[in-house]
Amino acid sequence: MVNVDMTDRRILLALTELAKRSAASLAEHLNLGRNTVQSRLNRLENEVLLGQEVRVPPHALGYNLLAFIELHVEQHHLASITEALAKMPQVLEAHGLTGSADILVRVCAVDAHDLFRIHGQLLHLPGVTRADSALAMADLVPYRTSELLRHSLSE
């Protein structure tokens, strides 16, 4: 487990707000030394930050539907199902769950016909016994960590 102290949290919060700034610019904004910020950034990039992938909204690529699909699976097929999900470009993320469903899959689709096709692909994976879909109607609170960082700084 990586220890993220208050200075790290301040840097991470500044990165969420000022992502394209240089280390020197972040250091000035945070009133920290440039070398401190640069060494912390290097460590955070290696140990904390989850990749450097730019978050492109699927609708910008023509994928106008977002859906969540709950998969019910035979547990001994979990590894192969996970591999298959990782190979599907329309799968944005997948999470193992507790409760009645086993996997929650977030997918994007061009339209309803495309979603029907993707749903069918998932249903035909060996070990998938059932799939339940729900269309996302609006992105009410998008993925974020900045509020969590702000909260942890105020504790």
Side-chain angles (χ1 to χ4, degrees):
M1 187 81 181
V2 176
N3 184 23
V4 179
D5 65 15
M6 288 305 208
T7 299
D8 291 336
R9 290 170 195 226
R10 289 180 59 216
I11 291 169
L12 288 167
L13 180 59
L15 273 176
T16 66
E17 297 168 348
L18 315 163
K20 294 186 179 183
R21 290 217 178 158
S22 66
S25 179
L26 286 170
E28 183 179 328
H29 175 77
L30 296 168
N31 199 27
L32 294 169
R34 188 194 61 76
N35 288 340
T36 298
V37 171
Q38 186 61 61
S39 65
R40 298 278 186 130
L41 279 173
N42 291 342
R43 184 181 63 79
L44 292 168
E45 286 174 359
N46 290 326
E47 298 175 9
V48 176
L49 297 175
L50 302 174
Q52 298 296 323
E53 184 173 307
V54 174
R55 293 182 63 96
V56 178
H59 64 81
L61 303 173
Y63 293 90
N64 295 311
L65 288 182
L66 180 65
F68 294 90
I69 302 175
E70 291 181 334
L71 298 179
H72 301 261
V73 305
E74 297 168 358
Q75 290 302 307
H76 62 279
H77 287 284
L78 189 58
S80 63
I81 291 168
T82 301
E83 273 183 48
L85 293 173
K87 291 178 183 174
M88 294 177 68
Q90 298 87 357
V91 171
L92 302 175
E93 58 187 335
H95 302 274
L97 301 177
T98 62
S100 63
D102 300 298
I103 303 173
L104 179 65
V105 185
R106 182 177 177 211
V107 301
C108 60
V110 173
D111 54 25
H113 180 74
D114 192 34
L115 180 59
F116 184 75
R117 180 189 60 76
I118 294 165
H119 191 272
Q121 274 184 297
L122 294 174
L123 262 177
H124 286 94
L125 292 175
V128 172
T129 60
R130 189 171 118 204
D132 301 314
S133 297
L135 281 178
M137 300 300 287
D139 198 6
L140 301 176
V141 179
Y143 180 85
R144 68 203 179 146
T145 56
S146 55
E147 292 305 314
L148 189 60
L149 286 163
R150 277 189 194 88
H151 177 72
S152 67
L153 285 171
S154 67
E155 290 181 334

